[in-house]
Amino acid sequence: MPNDDLTRLRIALTVFFALDGFVFAGWVVRIPAIKEQTGASASTLGLALLGVSAGAVITMMLTGRLCRRFGSHPVTVVCGVLLSLSVALPPLTHSVPALGAVLLLFGAAYGGINVAFNSAAVDLVTALHRPVMPSFHAAFSLGGMLGAGLGGLVAAHLSPTRHLLALTVVGLLVTAAAGRTLLRHEPPVPPDRPRHEEHARRPLEGRTRGLVLVFGLIALCTAFGEGAMADWGALHLEQDLDAHPGVAAAGYSCFALAMTIGRLSGTALLERLGRTRTVVVGGTTAAAGMLIGALAPSVWAALLGFAVTGLGLANLFPVAVERAGALAGPSGVAIASTLGYGGMLLGPPAIGFMADWYSLPTALTSVAALAAVAAAIGFVTRRTTAD
């Protein structure tokens, strides 16, 4: 495939990654208003929000099969349309069961597009012969930051219905523009890498499945930390370190900004260190940063620890998904993404239980422990997962 076509594909996929983060963050900032509209309690809202998780996890494995049958590019475009349409549904509900039902659809579209565009990105990374996977995930992070920022600005002026309907319009327009490029080009398949054809026809072999699960575990360890930081970082700063609410809210921002910077520089890091050493160094850095963030006696030291954690975790998930996809095509991406998403779901409630049993700072050290586990997995399997 000509370099110009590869560049166009890279731009189109980057746009889809950014759109995914933008739409999801726009929905998240309106959750309080939707809670009030539906009259949900904290517990019933939690049950309704499980619809997003359930829809995503159920759909991820199915999307792997759809990508093998129809191709990752058409599936990405279809899921982009579904994601854009489904984000407008939550404000139209007035009961918790109805909210849970539409969030199941939204979660299905969210999970589907994540597997589809990661599968497309794996093919493109292989064709480019450069480890550019982190740049796509950086676009997701930037889209999320933009979506959350704009959502916060318009929340006081637009109702949830108008805000999320605007996201639908933006999503459909962006999907139409970027989707045209994806539909016009087949995923690049280098002549020396025909195995995706094989994986489309036969089940994964034992050794390959084992390696895919290894990368899935790395994704799980990484996403556990992301979920925990999103839900518990600010509370730790405010409750345990007496931080002002505004400073406490900046805790996750430090983490997310550092993760975005880490992903933007991820390609250069991977070219310099290779994938295995990137996982080992990243996991070790994240473990050290989270120990500081959880146990430091001052707010500013904790914020520094959160930032270091973000830098360390930044490239573990992209590397894990890319390696799983290189080994097993869309099936590998689906398995690693499902395990990773499971880690993100497991993190917040696990931290909550441990905080009740011990303390929140002690519970947050589990993020450091799992980051160290990811580094250990990368080191132990360095020969079988050589670059």
Side-chain angles (χ1 to χ4, degrees):
M1 180 177 287
N3 287 335
D4 287 348
D5 289 343
L6 292 177
T7 301
R8 292 189 189 97
L9 282 179
R10 184 177 179 181
I11 293 172
L13 285 174
T14 300
V15 168
F16 271 107
F17 273 84
L19 176 66
D20 187 41
F22 181 79
V23 169
F24 191 80
W27 142 248
V28 167
V29 298
R30 301 318 297 252
I31 288 177
I34 302 297
K35 176 181 181 294
E36 183 178 349
Q37 176 181 303
T38 57
S41 65
S43 57
T44 55
L45 177 65
L47 289 174
L49 292 175
L50 280 177
V52 179
S53 308
V57 170
I58 291 170
T59 309
M60 280 179 170
M61 296 307 297
L62 174 63
T63 306
R65 299 189 186 97
L66 292 175
C67 288
R68 290 198 307 272
R69 181 168 182 178
F70 300 107
S72 57
H73 288 183
V75 175
T76 296
V77 175
V78 170
C79 288
V81 172
L82 294 177
L83 182 74
S84 301
L85 293 174
S86 60
V87 75
L89 299 178
L92 305 180
T93 62
H94 297 280
S95 69
V96 174
L99 178 62
V102 299
L103 289 181
L104 191 69
L105 294 174
F106 179 66
Y110 178 74
I113 196 171
N114 272 270
V115 171
F117 61 36
N118 272 297
S119 297
V122 167
D123 291 330
L124 186 58
V125 168
T126 303
L128 289 171
H129 299 290
R130 290 191 68 211
V132 298
M133 196 70 166
S135 68
F136 295 119
H137 289 261
F140 173 85
S141 298
L142 288 170
M145 293 172 68
L146 180 61
L150 287 177
L153 289 175
V154 305
H157 307 287
L158 291 179
S159 66
T161 302
R162 291 183 176 181
H163 177 200
L164 297 187
L165 183 60
L167 289 185
T168 293
V169 173
V170 171
L172 291 175
L173 290 174
V174 171
T175 299
R180 193 177 308 166
T181 300
L182 293 190
L183 295 177
R184 194 179 296 155
H185 298 91
E186 290 288 326
V189 180
D192 59 330
R193 300 287 290 275
R195 61 177 174 271
H196 291 288
E197 293 290 328
E198 297 179 17
H199 287 300
R201 295 190 181 98
R202 60 176 175 79
L204 299 183
E205 295 177 352
R207 181 177 181 276
T208 301
R209 180 177 290 276
L211 290 175
V212 168
L213 289 174
V214 164
F215 289 117
L217 287 175
I218 293 174
L220 185 152
C221 293
T222 304
F224 181 97
E226 290 188 53
M229 287 297 301
D231 285 20
W232 293 102
L235 184 63
H236 166 58
L237 293 173
E238 189 171 345
Q239 171 185 289
D240 301 314
L241 299 177
D242 297 321
H244 184 275
V247 176
Y252 182 70
S253 298
C254 289
F255 172 82
L257 180 60
M259 178 170 278
T260 303
I261 293 171
R263 287 176 170 174
L264 287 171
S265 58
T267 297
L269 186 69
L270 284 165
E271 288 178 333
R272 185 177 183 84
L273 298 181
R275 295 178 180 89
T276 299
R277 280 185 286 181
T278 296
V279 169
V280 174
V281 172
T284 304
T285 301
M290 199 61 231
L291 286 176
I292 296 171
L295 303 177
S298 71
V299 172
W300 301 111
L303 290 174
L304 175 63
F306 287 178
V308 173
T309 303
L311 285 173
L313 293 180
N315 295 304
L316 301 192
F317 191 92
V319 169
V321 171
E322 188 265 325
R323 296 311 295 156
L327 283 166
S331 294
V333 173
I335 292 171
S337 298
T338 302
L339 285 171
Y341 201 80
M344 189 170 288
L345 300 179
L346 177 65
I351 295 292
F353 283 122
M354 287 186 282
D356 284 340
W357 294 334
Y358 306 104
S359 68
L360 183 53
T362 302
L364 287 172
T365 61
S366 64
V367 175
L370 284 182
V373 168
I377 291 173
F379 180 76
V380 171
T381 61
R382 63 191 183 281
R383 293 181 181 176
T384 54
T385 60
D387 294 345

